[in-house]
Amino acid sequence: MKPWFLFLIFLGAMLASCENNEPAIPNGEKVALNNLLGAGEWDNSKIFPINDSLRMRMHQDEQNIYIAVDFDEVNLNQYRWVELYIYDSARHYRFHASGQLGEQYLRPPYWTENWNWGNNEMWTATTQRLAGEERKSSSNQAYEFQFEKKKFKSRHLRVLFHGYTINTQATFDASPFRYYYPADADRFKAESWMPIQY
């Protein structure tokens, strides 16, 4: 057998091994996007623990990928917002959910803080708002995302989570508490993000 053919077999085996090490998103139920984890909706999800009270949940159906950022409980004195970074081998995406939804792409070497709000295409997510004189947050147990699979160019994705929380009474210049997953990932380097496949 020729050496180059043996090399191709070895390379194919290595690639298959790498792919098999990626967590697979399991099949699950269609989700009602309402900031609350409904009974049974997320039971079949793959869970990624971020800390003792914060986790990401992921599952899929035939058309969509669902991701929940689960804060474990409702806290109307806390405002929360999240960003998911997803790389699909063709484009680096940044998906923002807070009071509004927004989508960006990495234009090396920059992510910009200038958002074109409401430009979400082929995905949606829940939002949260502050209301009333006491500035109470709207229902905020979780942010729930729904992505159409056809948005992505590959079944092998890389994902990075950034989450933010702040007291609803905080002054405008106060700094939020930040959460990251993976904790040591670099938002400019997709190779440091979490690999998944669907």
Side-chain angles (χ1 to χ4, degrees):
M1 194 174 289
K2 296 187 176 180
W4 62 267
F5 187 71
L6 290 173
F7 174 75
L8 288 177
I9 292 174
F10 174 76
L11 184 61
M14 289 295 293
L15 289 173
S17 173
C18 289
E19 288 182 1
N20 289 338
N21 288 333
E22 297 174 358
I25 301 175
N27 294 323
E29 301 298 318
K30 184 173 179 63
V31 172
L33 305 180
N34 58 7
N35 294 116
L36 298 171
L37 303 182
E41 281 185 333
W42 296 92
D43 287 357
N44 293 332
S45 299
K46 175 79 175 170
I47 298 175
F48 301 90
I50 297 168
N51 59 34
D52 289 343
S53 61
L54 179 60
R55 62 199 61 82
M56 271 196 305
R57 301 175 183 269
M58 295 187 193
H59 68 258
Q60 62 177 317
D61 62 20
E62 191 172 335
Q63 289 85 29
N64 302 300
I65 297 170
Y66 301 96
I67 301 177
V69 179
D70 175 9
F71 288 89
D72 197 45
E73 63 181 7
V74 173
N75 182 348
L76 301 186
N77 294 311
Q78 190 177 77
Y79 187 65
R80 303 160 171 171
W81 67 101
V82 299
E83 292 178 352
L84 296 177
Y85 295 75
I86 298 179
Y87 175 63
D88 69 351
S89 78
R91 177 171 273 184
H92 299 76
Y93 292 97
R94 183 184 184 189
F95 302 105
H96 177 103
S98 59
Q100 301 184 79
L101 304 180
E103 178 178 332
Q104 287 185 359
Y105 322 107
L106 180 64
R107 292 180 170 85
Y110 302 111
W111 292 105
T112 177
E113 296 309 316
N114 297 319
W115 292 90
N116 180 14
W117 299 116
N119 67 338
N120 52 303
E121 295 184 6
M122 300 170 68
W123 71 279
T124 189
T126 53
T127 58
Q128 296 179 13
R129 299 186 182 278
L130 297 178
E133 292 181 5
E134 297 181 354
R135 292 174 55 83
K136 295 291 186 183
S137 180
S138 60
S139 180
N140 64 359
Q141 179 187 3
Y143 275 96
E144 296 173 296
F145 289 80
Q146 177 181 309
F147 296 95
E148 295 180 33
K149 289 180 178 178
K150 60 187 178 182
K151 183 171 185 69
F152 301 119
K153 305 298 187 229
S154 171
R155 296 173 63 90
H156 300 275
L157 306 176
R158 294 222 167 226
V159 178
L160 169 63
F161 162 75
H162 278 194
Y164 306 82
T165 60
I166 195 167
N167 189 285
T168 60
Q169 304 303 313
T171 59
F172 184 76
D173 59 349
S175 295
F177 192 82
R178 299 169 185 261
Y179 308 84
Y180 303 93
Y181 189 83
D184 57 352
D186 184 331
R187 70 184 187 135
F188 296 95
K189 297 178 180 178
E191 63 269 23
S192 69
W193 305 356
M194 177 182 65
I196 59 170
Q197 61 176 314
Y198 67 90

